[in-house]
Amino acid sequence: MGKGSIHSGHRDRMRSRFLTLGSGGFSEHEILELLLFYSIPRANTNETAHALIERFGSLENVLAAAPEELMTIKGIKSESAFVIRLMHDLCKRYSATSDVSADLSDDEKLEGFLTEYFSENHGNVCLLLDMTPRGELRSTKCLPTSSLLSGELGSREIAELVVRNGFVRVVIGQCIDGDKCIPDASCYSLTRLFAETLAPLGTELHDHIICCSGKCFSMRKNGSFSFGSGGNHE
Amino acid sequence: MSDAKLLRDELRKKYLEFGLEAMSDEEVVRLVLSLSCNEFDSFTEKLIEGFGSLKSIEDADPQALVRYSDIGERSAVLFRMVSEISRCLAVKNVKKGVYLRTTADAKSFFAPLFTDHREERLAVVCLSSRLKAVAPASVIAEGAAASVRASCRRITALALDLKADGVIIAHSHPSGKAVPSSGDCASTELLASALSRFGIALIDHIIVAADDCVSLRETDIPLSFRDRECFGYKITKLL
């Protein structure tokens, strides 16, 4: 087996592990090692990642370092410095609009969050809000509505996502086109899909909120759907 | 020079000269995808059509990204890295320089460190005698190693290193209730005793569970750590 194959096998495994576990399963130097895959082909980036952490102290400091400083580390050339700088700027842009741990414990806060999200992120998507029972936002996952309605993302795929991420309580925020913020037949079929998928997993489907033109329609509040919860109930 | 290479160079030039702020979501998605594949132009169109925005793509379930657009795991990882690293750094940076004067302050302070984690976690914040955090909270241990007793030495070393006057610790019961066990109580007393030898106060021990948060200082459990110095730290309930 050639050296290239050894590296590519390792890289594939690391990427798959990251996609499955997220950053929780990775140390800071491993995240850097993974990032350097995109600028250093067919070489072990582990040592370089360690050297970066040793020199700058933390992942945050590495990302914030000037390219000239980064290139003083053995193995870091202009392409790696570019990728690190780009990741820093992408994270900064993402963080400016991110509300992890936001308190969404009442309808007003929840609808306000979704209205703001969809005012800046236009698209026919379903945003799954992963919430704690106390109403804090843990994470968000975006799914294209078309994939859900066509069956490309069905019960099995949704269940895998829920189990993989440990969802306890889910709110669906769905952005639709048009002027009227009322659920149509496709909205109800999505509610049914999620309700039937989540119930056997013991994950609560708390609400399905339709968002359109700055307005929100909560199926729970309006009694449009009977939300069971795999055990919990209002 | 191929069209793809020309476009890639153009995007890089724009980014380096003007920053991401000057680029549309579509341009940023193209730039990111150009790191991992040659067909970045057509994949960008598909992703924007399906997800609508850069943020939605970054928030997307990676398997859904791959299924929807065939971009492959190599590209999906890049988008996932943005949301994951951002989340990681946001939690880590909470919250140097805040005052933790009450049990309610301490509970609010620690809650974000535990909401996104399913394993046991032990965190500590070091305080001045004015109850101001002297450094961001540190996660001392995770998983099976997240026991207060086992981490006594590390907590003490951290407090000494930061010249702290007091310490508040928090650990999680991810799959249980926020009810202090006898082990939690015993290790609280042990840590308080260890810290007091160096003039450092254990001000509180917060237990975080999925649906509740408990301060050992607030409980009726007879614990001698409550009799020691706490610099005016008060018991108040979260509103």
Side-chain angles (χ1 to χ4, degrees):
Chain A
M1 188 188 280
K3 211 173 177 187
S5 305
I6 292 169
H7 288 305
S8 70
H10 168 69
R11 289 182 176 211
D12 288 343
R13 282 190 296 277
M14 229 174 153
R15 273 190 281 262
S16 290
R17 189 158 65 97
F18 187 80
L19 288 178
T20 308
L21 298 175
S23 59
F26 279 65
S27 61
E28 290 196 338
H29 85 265
E30 283 179 310
I31 293 174
L32 273 174
E33 183 186 343
L34 187 58
L35 184 60
L36 290 173
F37 289 172
Y38 294 91
S39 56
I40 304 175
R42 292 183 294 279
N44 189 335
T45 58
N46 183 269
E47 268 183 48
T48 312
H50 270 295
L52 282 166
I53 295 288
E54 202 176 304
R55 164 72 194 280
F56 294 99
S58 67
L59 172 63
E60 186 181 6
N61 290 347
V62 171
L63 293 177
E68 315 80 66
E69 283 185 61
L70 290 169
M71 287 195 280
T72 62
I73 301 293
K74 186 181 169 192
I76 299 291
K77 296 191 169 60
S78 61
E79 183 63 12
S80 296
F82 175 84
V83 168
I84 291 170
R85 170 52 44 169
L86 177 59
M87 184 52 67
H88 169 269
D89 290 347
L90 286 165
C91 291
K92 197 170 151 192
R93 181 170 166 144
Y94 179 89
S95 297
T97 56
S98 180
D99 287 288
V100 167
S101 299
D103 173 15
L104 303 179
S105 52
D106 63 49
D107 292 335
E108 199 183 321
K109 288 173 186 162
L110 194 44
E111 290 175 14
F113 174 86
L114 287 169
T115 306
E116 198 179 327
Y117 187 95
F118 288 125
S119 71
E120 290 160 12
N121 300 283
H122 308 287
N124 284 332
V125 292
C126 283
L127 185 70
L128 305 192
L129 307 184
D130 168 27
M131 319 266 295
T132 69
R134 283 197 303 265
E136 290 150 336
L137 180 64
R138 264 210 303 219
S139 68
T140 55
K141 289 286 177 284
C142 205
L143 301 173
T145 307
S146 59
S147 296
L148 291 164
L149 291 172
S150 69
E152 194 182 345
L153 292 176
S155 268
R156 173 73 188 255
E157 289 76 26
I158 294 168
E160 284 174 359
L161 185 160
V162 166
V163 167
R164 194 164 55 234
N165 292 283
F167 287 5
V168 169
R169 171 188 273 199
V170 170
V171 169
I172 307 167
Q174 183 186 354
C175 183
I176 62 172
D177 292 328
D179 303 320
K180 293 204 175 122
C181 192
I182 46 174
D184 59 21
S186 66
C187 298
Y188 284 108
S189 39
L190 287 180
T191 321
R192 265 192 299 277
L193 170 64
F194 277 95
E196 286 164 7
T197 303
L198 299 184
L201 302 173
T203 299
E204 181 196 349
L205 177 60
H206 185 70
D207 202 355
H208 182 175
I209 299 176
I210 312 299
C211 303
C212 175
S213 306
K215 301 192 197 86
C216 285
F217 180 99
S218 156
M219 285 187 158
R220 170 180 279 272
K221 220 163 56 174
N222 288 280
S224 302
F225 192 84
S226 174
F227 287 89
S229 57
N232 297 326
H233 206 65
E234 60 180 335
Chain B
M1 195 182 279
S2 70
D3 287 345
K5 180 130 190 1
L6 276 169
L7 181 55
R8 182 182 289 135
D9 288 348
E10 232 173 73
L11 287 164
R12 287 188 170 216
K13 190 169 171 230
K14 187 168 184 179
Y15 164 58
L16 289 168
E17 212 168 309
F18 302 110
L20 288 183
E21 300 78 21
M23 297 172 79
S24 66
D25 275 11
E26 213 169 303
E27 286 175 320
V28 177
V29 172
R30 269 202 188 87
L31 179 63
V32 171
L33 283 176
S34 72
L35 296 179
S36 56
C37 63
N38 291 324
E39 307 85 354
F40 57 89
D41 205 22
S42 55
F43 281 146
T44 297
E45 274 182 35
K46 188 108 207 278
L47 285 177
I48 293 288
E49 181 193 298
F51 291 89
S53 69
L54 171 63
K55 179 124 196 312
S56 297
I57 294 167
E58 287 159 344
D59 282 340
D61 175 61
Q63 311 296 348
L65 262 188
V66 171
R67 272 204 176 88
Y68 179 79
S69 61
D70 293 325
I71 58 170
E73 287 193 348
R74 197 172 137 76
S75 299
V77 162
L78 273 173
F79 290 112
R80 183 144 208 224
M81 282 185 99
V82 177
S83 54
E84 286 292 315
I85 292 175
S86 300
R87 203 182 338 270
C88 208
L89 296 183
V91 166
K92 193 182 168 193
N93 279 328
V94 94
K95 281 156 192 167
K96 184 182 169 183
V98 298
Y99 287 87
L100 302 183
R101 295 187 175 110
T102 68
T103 51
D105 291 342
K107 289 175 187 174
S108 299
F109 178 87
F110 279 109
L113 269 77
F114 297 98
T115 53
D116 199 28
H117 285 266
R118 281 77 176 169
E119 280 198 308
E120 282 217 30
R121 199 170 222 219
L122 171 63
V124 60
V125 65
C126 295
L127 307 173
S128 68
S129 59
R130 288 161 61 221
L131 299 174
K132 182 180 177 183
V134 299
S138 294
V139 174
I140 293 287
E142 287 187 276
S147 98
V148 174
R149 185 179 290 267
S151 303
C152 250
R153 189 174 166 173
R154 286 190 67 187
I155 296 169
T156 308
L158 181 69
L160 286 167
D161 193 40
L162 291 172
K163 298 184 174 33
D165 295 307
V167 150
I168 298 179
I169 61 169
H171 84 276
S172 56
H173 289 178
S175 53
K177 300 281 180 191
V179 174
S181 65
S182 55
D184 292 336
C185 297
S187 53
T188 303
E189 299 283 70
L190 182 72
L191 180 62
S193 172
L195 289 170
S196 70
R197 286 196 201 109
F198 305 103
I200 301 169
L202 175 62
I203 293 167
D204 206 348
H205 181 174
I206 307 291
I207 298 175
V208 182
D211 58 357
D212 201 8
C213 206
V214 160
S215 146
L216 258 73
R217 189 168 279 278
E218 282 175 348
T219 65
D220 296 329
I221 304 168
L223 291 166
S224 64
F225 94 96
R226 282 203 284 271
D227 301 328
R228 300 178 199 258
E229 172 68 73
C230 66
F231 306 113
Y233 179 76
K234 289 185 172 47
I235 294 172
T236 55
K237 299 288 184 186
L238 275 171
L239 292 172

